Amino acid sequence: MNSVTSTLETYRPAMHYAAKDTWLNDPNGLVFHEGIYHLYYQNNPFGNVHSNMSWGHATSTDLVSWKEQPVAIPCDDAEEIYSGSIVVDTANSSGFGVDGKAPLVAIYTSAYKPGSPHEGTQAQSIAWSTDGGYTWTKYAGNPVLTRNSPEFRDPKVFRYNGPAGSYWVMAAVEAHAFTVLLYRSEDLKKWEYLSTFGPANGTGGIWECPDLFELPLNDDAAAMKWVLTVNMNPGGPNGGSAGQYFVGEFDGVTFSSETTLTEGMQDPERVPDYQWLDWGRDYYAAVSFSNVPDGRRLMIGWMNNWQYANHIPTSPWRSPMSLVRDVSLVSVNGQPRLVQQPVPEVRAASIFTAPLQRVTVNGQVPVEGGTAVQLIDITITPGSAEEVGLVVRGSANGTVGTRIGIRPGNGELIVDRTRSGDTRFHEAFPSSSRAPIAAGQDGSYTLQIFVDHCSVEVFANGGLVTVTELIFPDRTQTSLVLYSTGGTADAALQLTNIGKKEA
Ligand code: FRU
């Protein structure tokens, strides 16, 4: 690698997907099929800013190493290909299958261009693949669902099998109305309106990229609940793009939420009380995979924020995806709450785990073993400290780094990237995100922190609270420092270096 290339590639993630030399945003069409995980995504095949929206494509067998594939569904003169989903049409309800082989059907938003007969509208269209998702044919009858609306998009389709019958259900947003609209279909071509959910809870920004899926509560298959996720831009709990979720019932027609705190438009004072998929600034447009075996619900988010997305200092590519998360549902004080954990496949990619270190922290304590890409498992007992935590991806002299701290008095987790490295490319970037955090029964806090060349992902409270943030440190920033202010704390930490195979 020559020096020019290595400078440009400073921030290329080791553990996350990023395109080779183009722009990406939302994950699309996430599907597991014949042993392969397919990650399609909003992609500009011709540059590294948001434009020419097409579906890019990458594949993986282990959810950690991704191989970029040719563009799957390119934009054309009439339309850009906005976000959507893919289903495996096992019974060939669409009739697109050949030789008894089930087709994959993509349901995407046609964002019509000036000059198109549908100019000024966004509508839902379909395309199919009979070669396992590598080449796609658009349906001649597109669009299959229009409301003649300029902001109707992001269809997430799944197979509903329940008391009301067996059929396809689509969740899509009317973005500026803060609503999720549900439709049903027998063949993925004709769609019938079912119901509307929203506005509710967070409405500080337009609603985008919904998802609706079923999960057992507390692993109890007799206690299934439905989860509606919807992304919102801007107005997130720490600014800009963010995702929220609701838990309730879906009877095949209507989703009823039992976690709504505000019916109608949001109460600005209650924003911290709503259920956020992630409290950080860089986990957006998250959606789940279809067709994953064993009842696993896997989600990926786009690790960026529309506030500054087109400006992050990466080149020639722009924007990574998050790690893949396993999502489950638990009861907390009688309320259903999502738990998110990085898939165990990430830990399985570990190449070295250092012995557990127990450290008494009063002031600053440098720790051996910091690297640019690692997993940090830490349990903190705050003792008399007002704030205790660690600075990751720090400079050798300790003046720069990303601060991840706990303030037990305020029940707060803080991820401060104001001195994380390059922050000057956009005024909204230098920031400190805060999330509510609770101590375990013994008064300690356990965090899993995944550090990569341009990100930190913090999983706290057993995955009930996550904070995902982009950072742009120099490659030489690898130091790790424990710190406390106002008193003495104890920390037990274990460092794991992670490497991945070439896909
Ligand atoms: C969300 C979003 C979607 C849209 C896509 C366009 O980030 O705005 O609503 O389909 O991006 O790229």
Side-chain angles (χ1 to χ4, degrees), residues 158-487:
F158 64 92
R159 187 80 193 169
Y160 170 78
N161 285 306
S166 176
Y167 43 87
W168 300 109
V169 172
M170 177 197 296
V173 291
E174 190 56 68
H176 289 244
F178 316 96
T179 51
V180 176
L181 280 67
L182 302 180
Y183 293 82
R184 66 172 274 177
S185 175
E186 300 301 328
D187 60 3
L188 298 163
K189 295 171 183 161
K190 288 183 291 303
W191 292 91
E192 182 191 332
Y193 171 78
L194 291 175
S195 62
T196 297
F197 176 80
N201 288 4
T203 57
I206 58 171
W207 281 19
E208 300 184 313
C209 300
D211 201 348
L212 180 59
F213 49 83
E214 210 176 4
L215 282 176
L217 183 64
N218 302 324
D219 276 332
D220 178 1
M224 299 301 284
K225 296 260 178 210
W226 286 83
V227 180
L228 177 79
T229 61
V230 64
N231 290 271
M232 188 183 94
N233 178 57
N238 279 295
S241 317
Q244 63 178 327
Y245 69 91
F246 299 86
V247 185
E249 303 301 332
F250 173 60
D251 62 5
V253 176
T254 306
F255 172 76
S256 352
S257 160
E258 57 186 84
T259 59
T260 296
L261 297 177
T262 310
E263 300 277 358
M265 299 300 281
Q266 75 177 26
D267 174 352
E269 311 249 303
R270 300 210 72 183
V271 168
D273 301 333
Y274 301 149
Q275 297 314 311
W276 299 103
L277 274 178
D278 193 287
W279 290 78
R281 296 182 192 223
D282 299 299
Y283 187 77
Y284 193 59
V287 283
S288 70
F289 277 83
S290 327
N291 205 40
V292 179
D294 306 326
R296 266 180 109 182
R297 186 56 57 177
L298 303 173
M299 290 186 94
I300 302 185
W302 171 48
M303 252 193 330
N304 208 335
N305 188 316
W306 282 118
Q307 280 184 328
Y308 42 73
N310 282 299
H311 303 277
I312 62 169
T314 61
S315 181
W317 55 281
R318 193 174 265 119
S319 303
M321 291 295 179
S322 72
L323 293 174
V324 187
R325 299 180 179 184
D326 258 314
V327 178
S328 57
L329 201 57
V330 300
S331 184
V332 180
N333 301 327
Q335 291 292 317
R337 295 285 181 255
L338 274 193
V339 164
Q340 302 176 72
Q341 294 288 352
V343 290
E345 287 86 343
V346 176
R347 266 181 204 273
S350 61
I351 46 180
F352 172 72
T353 300
L356 185 74
Q357 307 182 53
R358 290 184 193 281
V359 186
T360 299
V361 194
N362 191 338
Q364 305 232 333
V365 185
V367 178
E368 290 290 312
T371 59
V373 182
Q374 70 187 164
L375 161 59
I376 302 167
D377 287 296
I378 184 165
T379 298
I380 292 170
T381 309
S384 56
E386 276 164 25
E387 183 178 321
V388 48
L390 64 176
V391 176
V392 303
R393 297 301 310 269
S395 59
N397 62 9
T399 55
V400 192
T402 300
R403 180 171 62 108
I404 301 168
I406 286 159
R407 289 198 186 145
N410 316 356
E412 213 172 47
L413 168 68
I414 299 170
V415 181
D416 172 3
R417 66 179 180 194
T418 52
R419 295 187 304 137
S420 53
D422 184 355
T423 61
R424 285 176 306 186
F425 53 88
H426 194 280
E427 61 184 16
F429 188 79
S431 56
S432 227
S433 289
R434 285 148 199 274
I437 187 175
Q441 283 187 341
D442 62 354
S444 71
Y445 298 82
T446 298
L447 309 179
Q448 293 179 74
I449 304 167
F450 290 80
V451 182
D452 202 340
H453 290 294
C454 70
S455 60
V456 290
E457 284 154 287
V458 184
F459 294 78
N461 270 20
L464 285 166
V465 173
T466 67
V467 182
T468 300
E469 301 266 331
L470 287 174
I471 52 170
F472 299 101
D474 194 89
R475 282 245 170 178
T476 59
Q477 286 178 225
T478 56
S479 78
L480 194 58
V481 175
L482 289 166
Y483 74 91
S484 71
T485 58

Side-chain angles (χ1 to χ4, degrees), residues 137-171:
T137 308
K138 289 182 184 173
Y139 174 52
N142 284 340
V144 293
L145 177 60
T146 182
R147 306 179 76 229
N148 292 315
S149 158
E151 304 284 352
F152 175 43
R153 60 176 178 269
D154 305 342
K156 177 72 202 267
V157 175
F158 64 92
R159 187 80 193 169
Y160 170 78
N161 285 306
S166 176
Y167 43 87
W168 300 109
V169 172
M170 177 197 296

